[in-house]
Amino acid sequence: MTDESVLNSEKHIGRRAFLALLGAGLIALFFGPGLLARLSRGGPEAGGFAINSVAPAPAFDPSTWRLKVDGLVQQPLDLSFEQFNALPQVDRTNDFYCVEGWGVRNVLWTGVTAQEIMQRAGVEPTATHLVFHSGDGIYTDSLTIAEASRSDVLLAHLQGGQLLTQDHGRPLRLLAPGEFGYKSVKWVVRVEAIAAGTDGYQGYWELQGYPADATIA
Ligand SMILES: Nc1nc2c(c(=O)[nH]1)N[C@H]1C(S)=C(S)[C@@H](COP(=O)(O)O)O[C@H]1N2
Ligand SMILES: [Mo]
């Protein structure tokens, strides 16, 4: 990147987000995959996850919790936690990376693929994105239908075989491996199929200047 393009992208995406992304880029450039091994041994929370939440965790009551799937779908869904748990479950193990420069290797997640949810709801061919809404009332982010169709994209309720802790998204979070952690919305209560324009959908961090495509290079 030349100095000029650095200045240009700084103008376009905002200083804070720019610095975070530059940091992530430099980390990837200089340390490569070995960084994660070091982080997961001695990161901000050795051997595990940091907690990144812009709003307090909502309380979880299994008797009243619902997952709604709506928008551009033929069959809207409104599932209790019991009904969600009765859907076909899969296990996926993958690494988790935050743009702030920490990561965790080999995390086991259990849940339902976004693909399964899309099939059950009958997502309309006109839909371009799924928007994941958090029960915190503030945080949202989206995946394109193509991203959401990958077999490792899960709505997960178990981490390492245990119900997610409250801070990590109890009872349900998105996992989008291969994309930075800000895509992995915690406390998901609604999945909305939308048709977005060419600019796509602006989630919480996209509105602060992060790119909508969070693919880890
Ligand atoms: N609802 C909600 N989901 C969220 C966030 C958040 O602030 N609120 N932070 C995101 C970011 S930036 C990251 S890196 C991961 C962190 O997940 P963790 O707190 O379980 O480590 O959650 C993502 N999902
Ligand atoms: Mo993050």
Side-chain angles (χ1 to χ4, degrees):
M1 211 188 240
T2 66
D3 286 347
E4 192 180 71
S5 68
V6 166
L7 289 174
N8 282 338
S9 37
E10 185 166 359
K11 260 182 246 147
H12 284 127
I13 67 176
R15 187 176 168 79
R16 253 186 77 195
F18 169 76
L19 290 174
L21 291 168
L22 178 65
L26 290 177
I27 285 162
L29 199 65
F30 289 123
F31 297 97
L35 171 74
L36 271 186
R38 287 197 288 278
L39 280 174
S40 51
R41 282 198 300 270
E45 198 184 295
F49 269 89
I51 307 280
N52 265 9
S53 303
V54 298
F60 168 51
D61 177 348
S63 65
T64 57
W65 183 90
R66 314 292 293 185
L67 174 68
K68 293 194 164 73
V69 182
D70 61 10
L72 297 174
V73 297
Q74 283 148 18
Q75 178 60 60
L77 307 178
D78 184 353
L79 304 171
S80 67
F81 194 51
E82 206 181 355
Q83 288 169 324
F84 177 83
N85 282 310
L87 297 176
Q89 306 286 321
V90 300
D91 290 335
R92 297 285 183 266
T93 299
N94 39 56
D95 301 339
F96 191 93
Y97 305 71
C98 172
V99 291
E100 289 169 358
W102 57 270
V104 193
R105 268 190 191 277
N106 294 329
V107 190
L108 169 64
W109 305 98
T110 306
V112 177
T113 62
Q115 175 69 50
E116 178 81 34
I117 301 281
M118 289 195 282
Q119 273 164 16
R120 283 174 189 255
V123 171
E124 302 276 5
T126 50
T128 61
H129 291 73
L130 294 186
V131 181
F132 299 85
H133 297 261
S134 174
D136 64 14
I138 290 176
Y139 201 95
T140 67
D141 211 331
S142 70
L143 296 176
T144 65
I145 299 292
E147 288 167 340
S149 302
R150 292 173 34 184
S151 64
D152 56 359
V153 172
L154 293 192
L155 284 163
H157 57 112
L158 306 181
Q159 184 194 317
Q162 308 286 324
L163 185 61
L164 296 171
T165 63
Q166 192 183 28
D167 284 337
H168 287 307
R170 176 180 298 172
L172 195 65
R173 77 175 302 163
L174 180 65
L175 260 305
E179 308 242 357
F180 280 114
Y182 64 89
K183 287 285 172 181
S184 293
V185 177
K186 300 191 284 188
W187 312 294
V188 171
V189 291
R190 180 179 174 209
V191 180
E192 181 192 9
I194 64 161
T198 44
D199 289 345
Y201 172 84
Q202 304 288 300
Y204 182 90
W205 282 113
E206 285 80 5
L207 289 169
Q208 319 280 325
Y210 281 34
D213 181 346
T215 305
I216 301 165

